[in-house]
């Protein structure tokens, strides 16, 4: 049996995979089992910020793997507080909890908001407001937080007290928030739904409402965090400071890792026994994340994301089949004139370009933060045949 047959027979069919088997990667390129080269404009769905097999991350993983991989969170280990300090100082938050994925990072933030409300003597304060078309993960709480019923309905009954407002609808947010609100959970830029940045007014209204009702403003920076939008964190584009930020994706450049960062008293809500994770924050994941985050900050890759992202968006706007381009750094959504995004993705794959469609009309580009203008030109050259 070949790899695809093995996959089909033994792996649960939760993914509609493309008919390609990737065998290795280097920088902005991946290679299939036949040795064909592909320019990667997805970066593992906004994960490989430093590209594939970045030498500093590989070195950190190999070194740590030979020293200590895992001990459980019953004990102190060296890399975890070091990573916490790095993230806390870079974000202006106060404390970190480490998980293994974006969904788990969001679960932690949700638990903090719910517990803080109860602990303040308000057991009725349980509501969490999120946006329609958002995406927050696949656990039961996070599919419920995700404002897209198609992900949650098959799994009902769902955790109660999630409320939804149309993204960027300030009036709906004002109408929905109240004394029962314990958190507003938002992406600074809707990612899975095709790259729609929040307006300043929407985020600052969320901030004001959280202050008014003593609720937590949680920004899901799982996709926007760590340089993707041309700033280290997406919230830094806005005049808003969140109470919690969640991270995953680029955090360890492909090694599974997630984090919930919390500011001030929010960082002290959870006490021993409240929350935990067997693997979360283990030495191997943290060593990979320290190497990755340090390189993103010190290597100038946030600036590269902003500059090359603007160039990529500008080149996309010149393609005839593209109607609208929305971009923040290297998080770019392009709406096509025709509903043929999936076909464009298939054809591009055949020509050595890995792209992503978030719907029939929309392509999403989240390439490695290290991509160059020359590689953008190469991608545009390939797409010129399709569009
Ligand atoms: N939040 C956002 C904004 C995401 O884009 C994603 C994944 O795409 C998640 C949460 C879930 O992350 P994970 O798949 O690591 O659980």
């Amino acid at each position: 049996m070949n790899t695809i047959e093995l996959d089909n027979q033994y792996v649960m069919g939760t993914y509609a995979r493309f008919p390609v088997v990737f065998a290795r990667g280097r920088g902005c390129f991946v290679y299939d089992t036949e040795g064909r080269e592909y320019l990667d404009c997805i970066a593992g769905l906004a994960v490989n910020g430093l590209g594939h097999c970045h030498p500093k991350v590989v070195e950190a993983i190999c070194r740590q793997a030979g020293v200590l991989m895992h001990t459980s969170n019953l004990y102190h280990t060296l890399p975890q507080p070091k990573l916490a300090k790095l993230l806390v100082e870079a974000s202006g938050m106060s404390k970190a909890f480490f998980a293994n994925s974006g969904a788990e990072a969001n679960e932690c933030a949700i638990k903090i908001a719910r517990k803080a409300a109860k602990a303040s003597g308000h057991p009725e304060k349980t509501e969490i407001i999120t946006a329609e078309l958002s995406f927050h993960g696949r656990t039961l709480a996070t599919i419920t937080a995700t404002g897209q019923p198609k992900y949650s309905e098959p799994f009902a009954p769902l955790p109660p007290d999630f409320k939804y407002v149309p993204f960027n609808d300030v009036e709906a947010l004002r109408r929905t928030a109240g004394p029962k609100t314990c958190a507003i959970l938002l992406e600074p830029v809707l990612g899975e739904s095709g790259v729609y940045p929040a307006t300043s007014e929407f985020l600052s209204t969320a901030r004001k409402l959280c202050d008014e009702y003593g609720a937590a403003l949680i920004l899901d920076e799982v996709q926007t965090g760590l340089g993707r939008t041309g700033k280290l964190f997406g919230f830094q584009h806005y005049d808003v400071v969140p109470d919690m930020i969640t991270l995953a994706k680029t955090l360890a450049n492909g090694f599974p890792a997630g984090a919930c960062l919390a500011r001030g008293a929010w960082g002290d809500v959870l006490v021993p026994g409240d929350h935990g994770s067997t693997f979360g924050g283990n030495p191997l994941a943290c060593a990979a994340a320290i190497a990755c985050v340090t390189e993103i900050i010190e290597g100038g890759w946030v600036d590269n994301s902003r500059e090359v992202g603007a160039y990529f968006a500008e080149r996309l706007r010149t393609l005839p089949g593209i109607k609208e381009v929305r971009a923040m750094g290297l998080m770019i959504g392009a709406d096509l004139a025709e509903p043929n995004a999936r076909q464009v993705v298939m054809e591009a794959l055949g020509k050595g370009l890995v792209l992503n469609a978030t719907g029939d009309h929309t392509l999403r580009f989240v390439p490695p933060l290290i991509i160059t203008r020359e590689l953008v030109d190469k991608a545009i050259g390939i797409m010129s045949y399709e569009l």
Side-chain angles (χ1 to χ4, degrees):
M1 261 194 254
N2 67 28
T3 303
I4 294 178
E5 288 162 352
L6 273 174
D7 203 318
N8 291 342
Q9 179 151 347
Y10 294 110
V11 180
M12 285 191 200
T14 55
Y15 304 103
R17 299 192 208 269
F18 289 96
V20 58
V21 182
F22 286 133
R24 63 189 185 89
R26 171 76 39 189
C28 293
F29 292 94
V30 276
Y31 301 85
D32 69 15
T33 41
E34 313 293 311
R36 272 189 296 262
E37 182 179 86
Y38 300 78
L39 173 57
D40 187 357
C41 281
I42 297 186
L45 288 172
V47 166
N48 304 102
L50 295 173
H52 296 274
C53 299
H54 189 282
K56 290 193 176 164
V57 181
V58 171
E59 195 271 330
I61 290 174
C62 293
R63 186 171 22 85
Q64 189 64 46
V67 175
L68 184 70
M69 278 199 248
H70 183 83
T71 61
S72 92
N73 279 305
L74 292 175
Y75 311 99
H76 298 277
T77 50
L78 291 167
Q80 193 177 126
K82 203 172 156 193
L83 175 61
K85 179 172 187 286
L86 180 62
L87 293 172
V88 153
E89 288 180 354
S91 63
M93 297 288 115
S94 311
K95 295 234 168 121
F97 173 84
F98 292 107
N100 312 286
S101 66
E104 287 171 89
N106 285 330
E107 286 272 349
C108 176
I110 290 167
K111 285 174 76 172
I112 290 175
R114 286 257 172 94
K115 189 188 165 196
K118 280 211 173 65
S120 70
H122 292 284
E124 75 292 350
K125 200 175 171 63
T126 50
E127 288 180 1
I128 295 171
I129 302 175
T130 72
E132 288 170 10
L133 297 179
S134 59
F135 189 84
H136 298 294
R138 300 283 196 160
T139 61
L140 274 176
T142 58
I143 47 169
T144 311
T146 293
Q148 302 189 60
K150 68 176 181 202
Y151 290 123
S152 56
E153 269 167 2
F155 308 104
L158 301 169
D161 292 355
F162 285 84
K163 307 262 164 199
Y164 311 93
V165 296
F167 192 63
N168 283 338
D169 187 334
V170 170
E171 280 318 309
L173 194 55
R174 285 205 185 103
R175 275 197 310 275
T176 310
K180 287 179 76 181
T181 306
C182 71
I184 300 180
L185 165 61
L186 298 170
E187 291 161 85
V189 183
L190 289 184
E192 297 298 312
S193 289
V195 187
Y196 289 90
T199 61
S200 299
E201 200 193 355
F202 190 59
L203 286 194
S204 61
T205 304
R207 177 68 276 172
K208 278 192 209 112
L209 290 167
C210 284
D211 291 341
E212 187 178 342
Y213 294 115
L217 178 61
I218 305 167
L219 291 187
D220 178 341
E221 297 244 19
V222 166
Q223 192 164 153
T224 53
L226 302 169
R228 174 59 53 197
T229 65
K231 299 230 185 210
L232 192 58
F233 298 99
F235 81 86
Q236 293 167 334
H237 291 277
Y238 301 88
D239 193 18
V240 160
V241 178
D243 299 308
M244 288 181 252
I245 298 170
T246 55
L247 299 172
K249 293 208 182 265
T250 300
L251 183 54
N253 208 50
F255 197 93
C260 172
L261 309 180
R263 189 163 64 97
W266 298 104
D268 297 319
V269 169
L270 298 178
V271 297
D274 277 341
H275 194 48
S277 165
T278 297
F279 291 118
N282 88 5
L284 196 52
C286 290
I290 291 166
C292 175
V293 176
T294 304
E295 176 60 20
I296 286 175
I297 295 172
E298 292 178 1
W301 301 118
V302 181
D303 290 341
N304 195 67
S305 170
R306 185 168 57 252
E307 286 154 20
V308 180
Y311 178 70
F312 204 154
E314 184 191 308
R315 292 294 323 266
L316 283 168
R317 288 190 183 103
T318 64
L319 292 177
I322 290 186
K323 222 172 58 180
E324 182 182 280
V325 177
R326 296 172 295 277
M328 243 193 191
L330 282 167
M331 191 167 174
I332 304 172
D335 287 348
L336 306 181
E338 303 296 327
N340 59 349
R342 292 173 213 277
Q343 190 190 328
V344 170
V345 168
M346 273 309 286
E347 284 171 16
L349 191 65
K351 296 199 168 87
L353 177 65
V354 182
L355 295 181
N356 173 239
T358 61
D360 292 340
H361 272 106
T362 307
L363 296 173
R364 176 177 47 163
F365 303 83
V366 278
L369 308 179
I370 60 170
I371 196 169
T372 60
R373 285 168 190 248
E374 291 69 33
L375 291 180
V376 168
D377 290 341
K378 186 178 164 84
I380 295 288
I382 294 173
M383 276 185 288
S384 308
Y385 292 104
E386 323 293 340
L387 294 163

